[in-house]
Amino acid sequence: MEFSVGHHDGGTQARVGSLRTVHGQVETPSFMPVGTLGPVKGIDPIDLEQLGFRLVLNNAYHLYLRPGHKVVAELGGLHRFTGWPGAILTDSGGFQIFSLAKLCTITDDGVSFQSHLDGSTHFITPETAIEIQEALGADIIMAFDQCVALPASHDQMREGVRRTKLWAQRCQESRRRTDQALFGIVQGGLDPDLRVTAARDLIGLGFDGYAIGGLSVGEAKAEMYGMLDVTVPELPEAKPRYLMGVGMPEDLIEGVARGIDLFDCVVPSRHGRTGSLFTSFGRVVIKQAKYLHDEQPVDPRCGCPVCARYSRAYLHHLFNVKEMLGARLNTIHNLWYFADLMRQVRSAVAQGMLKEFREEFYTSRDRAAGDRADAVSAADDHRRQPGD
Amino acid sequence: MEFSVGHHDGGTQARVGSLRTVHGQVETPSFMPVGTLGPVKGIDPIDLEQLGFRLVLNNAYHLYLRPGHKVVAELGGLHRFTGWPGAILTDSGGFQIFSLAKLCTITDDGVSFQSHLDGSTHFITPETAIEIQEALGADIIMAFDQCVALPASHDQMREGVRRTKLWAQRCQESRRRTDQALFGIVQGGLDPDLRVTAARDLIGLGFDGYAIGGLSVGEAKAEMYGMLDVTVPELPEAKPRYLMGVGMPEDLIEGVARGIDLFDCVVPSRHGRTGSLFTSFGRVVIKQAKYLHDEQPVDPRCGCPVCARYSRAYLHHLFNVKEMLGARLNTIHNLWYFADLMRQVRSAVAQGMLKEFREEFYTSRDRAAGDRADAVSAADDHRRQPGD
């Protein structure tokens, strides 16, 4: 993998760049849709390509349990298995184990846990996390980290940072494949000093890219943004920076403004399935009765294939009768919104106009919200999810 | 609508023809996928076009209940509402009312029943059935008929035929739109004399096409084929003939051989969702454990977009983890199988080779079944379903 930074915004910490992988080039800043078990739920790879995505995330934990990383390896790896020709990033499974699995026991050696599916017992170490991800065969793999649940004591957070460093080193030492990029993950909760320590620890080990983990887990947005303000300046300019499990549209803009290059989140697909549609004027909750007769597209200003073909009334009907196609169409609309937002963000950064873009984003949404008594709050709670 | 018959097979009663509608031309014999509530479950209109379908069926009963025929009319009719640019046929709702609704009371006036969804009371007459279908705006609409459940006494079946004729006439008299074709439905259960009487009754009234209803409801295949042998010769050569709710691949071939032009059935989509995949060598039940490692496509001889991109192992995984995309991909494969079968059937008829085609169809499937201990019986039970 090669990463090159192009323009800097100037007014913010934002930059545009380009990730070259064996499976194609990814313009950054970029948002990765989440295909927990292979596909983004209900979505074909060909849809993702047409929407403009070039990099998706798959969850190592879920694929380790089903169908098993060895099965995927036998079948030629994730790209061939899932039919996705673009680039893939796998997370290491740490966050999922701590979020989903039962009876976790963490030692310096690794984590023992019971599967959330059948209660079977597993033991994952930094070495096995790498082995699993090498078998899955993504373009970018992640170091095995300990994501401490918030709120946590200072001691717990410090212990998480210490263990994450230890594990990061063991991940590096156990690598066999040279054709995958390996990213380290900066932990440290909401403690600025710990974040800086964690970042410096990892940089000392030398990774192909750096992720910021342990955020979007229930803290206030201001706290999350504050951690970015502290952490990102520590990270090397020449390496990609990835904010894990984030986020809402405003989080992407705020993250980019603070120098983040990559994001992933289940929001477009999960909100799509539950009928919450992103638009230039805020959120459309498609189940609302007022859409029964509404022949407008979801967002008249949207260029997605769903808005080109279907009315709010039809999407309302599909949601109302629980038709599978409704989940699919809503997800496609939301994915397009996220892909298009990132295209606009990249363009704004390239022109040195991200501040203006951010201002216009909030203004236009707030103005619309003022016009619409039913508008969903722009600041609704969202937490990182361990898969979709 | 205009219908023209092209070639006759010669060796059988089969013929190829062409239905011209405002929404495009349909080559016959043709199979209609079923979009109960608008879409074929999980499938975009663009998928259906790419698979080669030009005519789909929508269920008037289901759309009458949700979102309501008046809502669909306000929104420009079914084509605009569902985004399907091809031709549409709506059934009249009779079969669904008798199959799904509660507390049906049938008089010569009409049928009162309770919705299967919320128990609300409704009264449908031949006149309202036409009003509903004119509001929905399909290219082809169906007369309101009484489908007598089998087994039934001779008196019950005769009464059904009498009432169906009475209702057929009232359907004709209440029509307002001249841009929709109206088909009559031949009932008569498994009684050859009643079938002949019913056919002659309807022909006397003069319809744009003739359907054969009340079959594929649990009778033996030989009984169904026997009723076609008796009924089809009564029907006018120059009008399309539609066998309702049928069927399995062999039923399509046997129907065509007996002079049928149109079919509809939920089989490709319902079997797809439950993981039963049609192939040139019989059925693949994708949940079977032996497919976990199988990197072949579902059918190596299949030209569908699913077989081009995905392995049995991936479809097995998607089914196993209950991923929505699995239902979609399985349905696309099955729909392609049905579309392709009908293309082959039309080609065989055009060349006067349907007998040979039929023989080869059974031989190749039986040979494959002999080779595969797990092959699903070719004769497994299938009954017409009141929607999908």
Side-chain angles (χ1 to χ4, degrees):
Chain A
M1 189 198 76
E2 284 175 44
F3 179 65
S4 60
V5 175
H7 293 272
H8 285 80
D9 177 51
T12 69
Q13 300 305 308
R15 74 258 188 95
V16 289
S18 179
L19 264 178
R20 273 179 297 280
T21 77
V22 176
H23 294 92
Q25 183 161 323
V26 182
E27 303 306 320
T28 63
S30 196
F31 175 84
M32 294 179 266
V34 177
T36 293
L37 284 153
V40 177
K41 287 201 187 310
I43 304 300
D44 302 272
I46 204 163
D47 295 319
L48 292 180
E49 280 186 86
Q50 286 171 354
L51 292 164
F53 293 103
R54 297 292 175 261
L55 173 60
V56 302
L57 180 143
N58 288 148
N59 289 122
Y61 167 80
H62 291 278
L63 290 160
Y64 159 76
L65 292 177
R66 296 181 304 185
H69 58 293
K70 290 178 184 168
V71 172
V72 174
E74 275 173 41
L75 293 162
L78 277 177
H79 296 87
R80 190 160 155 200
F81 184 56
T82 65
W84 168 246
I88 299 175
L89 179 149
T90 45
D91 58 7
S92 62
F95 178 71
Q96 283 70 32
I97 292 170
F98 302 126
S99 310
L100 284 175
K102 291 175 248 174
L103 298 178
C104 284
T105 311
I106 309 173
T107 66
D108 279 358
D109 202 18
V111 186
S112 75
F113 61 92
Q114 290 189 352
S115 157
H116 73 290
L117 297 169
D118 62 5
S120 56
T121 302
H122 301 261
F123 185 61
I124 302 276
T125 65
E127 290 77 14
T128 54
I130 293 296
E131 184 191 329
I132 291 166
Q133 291 184 85
E134 291 195 339
L136 292 173
D139 300 276
I140 303 172
I141 65 176
M142 302 300 296
F144 193 60
D145 63 326
Q146 184 185 349
C147 180
V148 176
L150 300 181
S153 71
H154 186 76
D155 279 357
Q156 286 172 316
M157 291 200 292
R158 195 175 50 201
E159 180 67 0
V161 166
R162 181 193 65 79
R163 189 170 281 136
T164 294
K165 177 190 177 187
L166 179 74
W167 287 358
Q169 187 165 4
R170 283 167 52 192
C171 284
Q172 284 189 324
E173 288 164 0
S174 68
R175 289 175 78 178
R176 294 293 168 268
R177 287 181 66 162
T178 56
D179 60 340
Q180 295 176 304
L182 175 63
F183 284 19
I185 304 176
V186 178
Q187 291 289 348
L190 298 177
D191 186 306
D193 293 336
L194 276 179
R195 286 276 168 189
V196 168
T197 303
R200 292 179 183 173
D201 285 348
L202 293 174
I203 293 158
L205 294 170
F207 283 90
D208 301 314
Y210 296 88
I212 299 175
L215 294 176
S216 197
V217 291
E219 78 281 8
K221 279 184 191 293
E223 291 178 304
M224 173 169 80
Y225 302 155
M227 287 302 103
L228 298 184
D229 288 330
V230 169
T231 311
V232 176
E234 296 294 324
L235 301 177
E237 164 71 15
K239 301 290 181 187
R241 305 154 180 171
Y242 161 30
L243 178 56
M244 303 187 79
V246 174
M248 298 299 279
E250 60 275 18
D251 299 331
L252 304 185
I253 296 170
E254 297 297 341
V256 170
R258 287 163 174 82
I260 298 294
D261 305 302
L262 294 170
F263 304 86
D264 80 283
C265 196
V266 300
V267 152
S269 41
R270 185 161 297 183
H271 277 54
R273 292 200 303 284
T274 55
S276 187
L277 301 168
F278 291 89
T279 74
S280 54
F281 49 86
R283 213 85 62 71
V284 165
V285 178
I286 203 66
K287 75 176 173 194
Q288 292 177 350
K290 64 177 176 176
Y291 297 123
L292 176 65
H293 299 265
D294 191 336
E295 60 189 327
Q296 287 189 90
V298 173
D299 184 349
R301 277 176 284 174
C302 176
C304 88
V306 175
C307 286
R309 196 155 192 157
Y310 305 101
S311 62
R312 293 173 186 167
Y314 192 52
L315 297 179
H316 171 82
H317 167 64
L318 296 180
F319 188 88
N320 192 37
V321 302
K322 299 184 176 60
E323 161 59 49
M324 189 173 20
L325 185 63
R328 173 173 156 79
L329 297 179
N330 294 345
T331 300
I332 289 175
H333 169 84
N334 279 351
L335 285 171
W336 196 92
Y337 177 91
F338 275 67
D340 191 58
L341 177 66
M342 295 312 282
R343 278 189 288 269
Q344 291 179 47
V345 164
R346 286 194 297 270
S347 167
V349 173
Q351 295 169 60
M353 303 277 283
L354 187 65
K355 272 193 167 167
E356 291 77 359
F357 179 83
R358 172 166 63 180
E359 195 169 326
E360 171 58 23
F361 172 84
Y362 286 120
T363 307
S364 109
R365 201 168 65 173
D366 292 349
R367 190 171 49 227
D371 293 347
R372 296 158 51 94
D374 64 300
V376 173
S377 160
D380 75 338
D381 179 52
H382 165 67
R383 298 183 191 199
R384 185 177 171 196
Q385 299 290 333
D388 189 36
Chain B
M1 189 198 75
E2 283 175 46
F3 179 65
S4 61
V5 175
H7 293 273
H8 284 79
D9 176 51
T12 69
Q13 300 305 307
R15 75 259 187 96
V16 288
S18 181
L19 264 178
R20 274 180 295 281
T21 77
V22 177
H23 294 91
Q25 184 162 323
V26 183
E27 303 305 320
T28 62
S30 198
F31 175 83
M32 293 180 265
V34 177
T36 294
L37 284 153
V40 177
K41 286 199 191 309
I43 305 298
D44 302 271
I46 204 162
D47 296 319
L48 292 179
E49 280 187 88
Q50 286 172 353
L51 292 165
F53 293 103
R54 296 292 175 263
L55 173 60
V56 302
L57 180 143
N58 287 149
N59 289 124
Y61 166 78
H62 291 278
L63 290 161
Y64 159 76
L65 292 177
R66 296 182 302 184
H69 58 294
K70 289 179 184 169
V71 172
V72 175
E74 274 171 43
L75 293 163
L78 276 178
H79 296 86
R80 191 161 154 199
F81 184 56
T82 66
W84 168 246
I88 299 175
L89 179 149
T90 45
D91 60 5
S92 62
F95 178 71
Q96 282 71 30
I97 292 171
F98 301 127
S99 310
L100 284 177
K102 291 174 253 175
L103 298 178
C104 283
T105 309
I106 309 171
T107 65
D108 279 358
D109 202 17
V111 186
S112 75
F113 62 92
Q114 289 188 353
S115 157
H116 72 291
L117 296 170
D118 62 4
S120 58
T121 302
H122 300 263
F123 186 60
I124 302 278
T125 65
E127 290 78 11
T128 52
I130 293 297
E131 183 191 330
I132 291 166
Q133 291 183 86
E134 291 195 338
L136 293 174
D139 300 276
I140 303 172
I141 65 175
M142 302 300 297
F144 193 61
D145 62 326
Q146 185 185 350
C147 180
V148 176
L150 299 181
S153 70
H154 187 77
D155 278 359
Q156 287 171 315
M157 292 201 292
R158 194 174 51 204
E159 180 67 358
V161 167
R162 180 193 67 78
R163 188 170 282 137
T164 294
K165 177 189 177 186
L166 178 74
W167 287 357
Q169 188 163 5
R170 283 168 51 193
C171 284
Q172 284 191 323
E173 288 163 359
S174 68
R175 289 175 77 177
R176 293 291 168 272
R177 286 180 67 161
T178 55
D179 58 341
Q180 294 176 304
L182 175 63
F183 284 20
I185 303 175
V186 177
Q187 290 290 349
L190 298 176
D191 186 308
D193 294 337
L194 276 180
R195 285 277 171 188
V196 170
T197 303
R200 292 179 183 173
D201 285 350
L202 292 175
I203 293 159
L205 294 170
F207 283 90
D208 301 313
Y210 296 88
I212 300 176
L215 293 177
S216 197
V217 290
E219 77 283 7
K221 278 185 189 296
E223 292 178 304
M224 175 169 79
Y225 301 156
M227 286 302 102
L228 298 184
D229 289 331
V230 169
T231 311
V232 176
E234 296 294 324
L235 301 177
E237 165 70 15
K239 300 290 181 188
R241 304 154 180 172
Y242 162 29
L243 178 55
M244 303 186 80
V246 175
M248 297 300 278
E250 60 274 19
D251 299 330
L252 304 185
I253 296 171
E254 297 297 341
V256 169
R258 288 163 174 83
I260 297 294
D261 305 302
L262 294 171
F263 303 86
D264 79 282
C265 197
V266 300
V267 153
S269 42
R270 186 161 297 186
H271 276 54
R273 292 200 304 284
T274 55
S276 187
L277 300 169
F278 291 89
T279 75
S280 55
F281 50 86
R283 215 84 61 71
V284 165
V285 178
I286 203 66
K287 75 176 171 195
Q288 293 177 350
K290 65 176 176 176
Y291 297 123
L292 175 65
H293 299 266
D294 191 337
E295 60 188 329
Q296 287 188 88
V298 174
D299 183 349
R301 278 176 283 176
C302 176
C304 88
V306 176
C307 286
R309 196 156 192 158
Y310 305 101
S311 62
R312 292 173 187 167
Y314 192 54
L315 297 179
H316 171 81
H317 167 65
L318 296 180
F319 188 87
N320 193 38
V321 300
K322 299 186 174 61
E323 161 58 51
M324 189 174 22
L325 184 63
R328 172 172 156 80
L329 297 179
N330 292 345
T331 299
I332 288 175
H333 170 84
N334 278 351
L335 286 171
W336 196 93
Y337 177 92
F338 274 67
D340 191 57
L341 178 67
M342 296 311 282
R343 277 190 289 269
Q344 292 180 47
V345 163
R346 286 195 296 271
S347 167
V349 173
Q351 296 169 61
M353 303 277 282
L354 188 64
K355 270 192 167 168
E356 291 79 357
F357 179 84
R358 171 165 64 180
E359 197 169 325
E360 172 56 25
F361 172 83
Y362 286 121
T363 306
S364 110
R365 199 167 65 173
D366 292 349
R367 193 171 46 225
D371 293 345
R372 296 158 50 92
D374 64 298
V376 173
S377 161
D380 75 337
D381 179 53
H382 166 67
R383 299 182 190 202
R384 185 177 173 196
Q385 299 291 333
D388 189 36

